[in-house]
């Protein structure tokens, strides 16, 4: 892993805007209808309307993970004053499984970019232990802060991240 994985996150501004620099240590595969998400690739909003499959490799069944999906470009990339928009939050995902085995704390909110090209970022954290209580202080999906959330929940730096781009579909683009 390493540079090959981290460089597109830097180029795409995910490291900086959303995350601090980190070293990926876990392999995470995100896919929508068997189409794998790759850093910086564009997906149509209609192709990401149902929640993705998020598989965690290299963990073990004694490890638990937290998955956060956010959009840092709300309402638009030139003035993202509502950033970050929380699209999905799943905790207690056992290692070597997928997100469906975790506790969905905030349900999946499908991407609806209205202005410009938005980045949709999946961030994976390794939990120090299985959670019994879940954060109840998430009052709004808007102005979520991934860094602050990680600090408040003692998650440390991410162990994996991937992002895709999407923009509003026009009638012509849907064909």
């Amino acid at each position: 892993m390493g540079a090959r994985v981290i460089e597109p996150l830097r180029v795409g501004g995910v490291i900086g805007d959303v995350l601090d620099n980190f070293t990926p240590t876990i392999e995470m595969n995100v896919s929508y209808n068997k189409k794998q998400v790759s850093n910086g690739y564009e997906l149509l909003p209609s192709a990401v309307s149902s929640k993705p499959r998020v598989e965690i490799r290299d963990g073990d069944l004694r490890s638990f993970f937290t998955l956060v999906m956010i959009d840092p470009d709300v309402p638009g990339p030139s003035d993202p004053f509502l950033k970050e928009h929380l699209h999905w939050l799943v905790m207690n995902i056992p290692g070597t499984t997928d997100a469906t085995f975790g506790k969905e704390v905030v349900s999946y909110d499908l991407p609806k970019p209205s202005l410009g090209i938005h980045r949709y970022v999946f961030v994976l954290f390794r939990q120090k232990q299985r959670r019994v209580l879940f954060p109840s202080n998430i009052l709004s999906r808007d102005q979520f802060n991934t860094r602050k959330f990680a600090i408040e929940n003692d998650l440390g730096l991410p162990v994996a991240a991937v992002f895709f781009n999407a923009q509003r579909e026009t009638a012509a683009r849907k064909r």
Side-chain angles (χ1 to χ4, degrees):
M1 291 195 273
R4 185 173 55 85
V5 176
I6 210 86
E7 196 53 33
L9 294 170
R10 263 195 212 102
V11 172
V14 170
I15 289 178
D17 291 353
V18 180
L19 303 172
D20 294 323
N21 203 15
F22 73 97
T23 303
T25 55
I26 294 287
E27 189 183 331
M28 170 177 66
N29 284 328
V30 179
S31 57
Y32 286 93
N33 299 320
K34 300 193 170 81
K35 182 167 177 41
Q36 189 162 338
V37 172
S38 298
N39 279 321
Y41 280 68
E42 185 172 344
L43 296 173
L44 297 174
S46 57
V48 296
S49 59
S50 58
K51 69 175 86 158
R53 181 172 169 87
V54 179
E55 296 170 286
I56 298 166
R57 302 218 170 101
D58 305 332
D60 63 67
L61 287 168
R62 291 184 305 278
S63 302
F64 290 94
F65 296 90
T66 292
L67 175 74
V68 177
M69 178 190 179
I70 58 102
D71 173 356
D73 301 314
V74 180
S78 58
D79 183 19
F81 63 89
L82 293 175
K83 74 169 185 198
E84 302 159 15
H85 182 83
L86 178 62
H87 278 273
W88 200 25
L89 174 58
V90 186
M91 301 183 86
N92 280 358
I93 305 166
T96 72
T97 66
D98 66 61
T100 54
F101 290 92
K103 161 82 169 133
E104 194 173 63
V105 179
V106 176
S107 63
Y108 183 75
D109 182 25
L110 61 118
K112 295 182 283 285
S114 53
L115 295 165
I117 297 173
H118 289 236
R119 295 165 293 170
Y120 293 91
V121 185
F122 294 88
V123 186
L124 190 70
F125 295 96
R126 183 190 296 270
Q127 296 172 200
K128 296 206 167 40
Q129 72 274 330
R130 187 186 173 107
R131 298 287 299 244
V132 184
L133 296 169
F134 296 96
S136 56
N137 55 350
I138 300 166
L139 305 172
S140 163
R141 288 180 186 264
D142 285 327
Q143 294 172 325
F144 182 81
N145 185 311
T146 303
R147 286 181 178 102
K148 196 169 138 225
F149 175 81
I151 292 165
E152 287 170 356
N153 291 280
D154 195 24
L155 294 169
L157 287 171
V159 292
V162 67
F163 79 103
F164 68 88
N165 294 321
Q167 57 188 310
R168 194 166 148 221
E169 286 180 66
T170 59
R173 292 194 63 195
K174 284 183 179 167
R175 270 186 265 142

